[in-house]
Amino acid sequence: MSYPEDFQFAKNFEVGSYQVHPHGAIRLSSLADLLQEIAWRHADSGDFGRNLLANQQMWVLSRLEINMIEPPKWGDQLQIFTGGRGAEKLFAFREFLVWDKNQRPIARAMSSWLLLNSETKRIQRPESVLPAELFDPNKKPTWIPQKLELAGEKINEETIRVQNSDLDLYQHVNNTSYIRWVENLLAELSFFPKQIKINYLSECLAGDLVNLSLFQFGDRYLISGTSSEKIVFLAQV
């Protein structure tokens, strides 16, 4: 099967009523859920997904950037593509493309991943498990998710407790839960972002208290999450 732009895997989705915000468009966190799902489906199809757990290995999302060109709405039919975009040092890159029913690009995303030993949390080289034809270690994409730096004036903050519904298969806060926290904080300003850049810096577990701080820097907002005096994530919208 042939895919656009050298993507390697595709899956169709329909936007559900539970995935949209009060203005009727899909939430960033809901789109991130779909991206996470297709990433796992692709990895499982190539034997570099959940089967790695048997070898005490796991993928951890390090950075993610999503850009919705035209946010889809409830009932819209989507076709999402994904594919490996090479590796650099310890990072493996995965890109996403979202089409509407007329095959128009309506969203793009790029992500960088780390391969960890699930017991020691030591980082391992991604090419040790990745097929070279999908993730060429000698290539890297022109679009690389950036490292974020905290800046601006603090304009709001709140503290939340990690709930069971925030957790993933590994008993850590799921990457999409952080995005949902960001959306909830921004919704107090009646702001529903179409783009996000997020760095995942440390793990959070059930019961952890996380202080969310909102900063304004020019026409951008930056959000930090801290727990036990360490930054667990940074986001920019």
Side-chain angles (χ1 to χ4, degrees), residues 14-178:
E14 179 178 326
V15 180
S17 60
Y18 57 92
Q19 294 175 305
V20 300
H21 57 61
H23 292 175
I26 194 170
R27 300 178 189 273
L28 272 173
S29 54
S30 296
L31 179 57
D33 280 331
L34 301 182
L35 302 184
Q36 178 176 256
E37 179 65 18
I38 192 175
W40 276 114
R41 294 293 185 95
H42 182 212
D44 283 345
S45 74
D47 292 329
F48 56 95
R50 286 174 292 179
N51 62 300
L52 297 181
L53 286 172
N55 297 324
Q56 297 183 330
Q57 294 173 305
M58 59 187 287
W59 289 109
V60 175
L61 183 58
S62 178
R63 298 173 189 170
L64 174 66
E65 296 186 2
I66 301 175
N67 178 21
M68 286 198 286
I69 305 161
E70 184 179 329
K73 296 178 173 57
W74 176 16
D76 285 355
Q77 301 295 320
L78 308 178
Q79 187 171 22
I80 303 182
F81 303 90
T82 190
R85 291 297 187 249
E88 183 186 31
K89 297 180 181 178
L90 298 174
F91 291 101
F93 300 99
R94 173 181 289 281
E95 188 175 7
F96 305 88
L97 168 66
V98 183
W99 274 0
D100 67 8
K101 65 180 181 180
N102 297 314
Q103 300 186 351
R104 293 186 306 127
I106 58 172
R108 291 183 178 271
M110 181 65 81
S111 57
S112 57
W113 301 73
L114 294 170
L115 179 67
L116 268 60
N117 180 289
S118 59
E119 297 296 324
T120 66
K121 301 301 190 292
R122 290 178 64 105
I123 300 174
Q124 302 181 352
R125 300 198 69 84
E127 59 265 32
S128 65
V129 300
L130 291 174
E133 65 272 18
L134 302 183
F135 290 82
D136 187 340
N138 298 313
K139 293 182 179 180
K140 64 179 182 179
T142 55
W143 179 10
I144 295 179
Q146 72 179 84
K147 179 180 179 181
L148 299 176
E149 301 288 344
L150 196 57
E153 176 186 0
K154 184 186 291 188
I155 60 173
N156 194 16
E157 66 178 337
E158 67 175 80
T159 299
I160 62 173
R161 184 182 296 275
V162 174
Q163 304 295 318
N164 183 266
S165 59
D166 295 316
L167 304 181
D168 62 14
L169 179 67
Y170 305 113
Q171 303 298 314
H172 304 145
V173 172
N174 190 291
N175 67 80
T176 63
S177 295
Y178 295 101

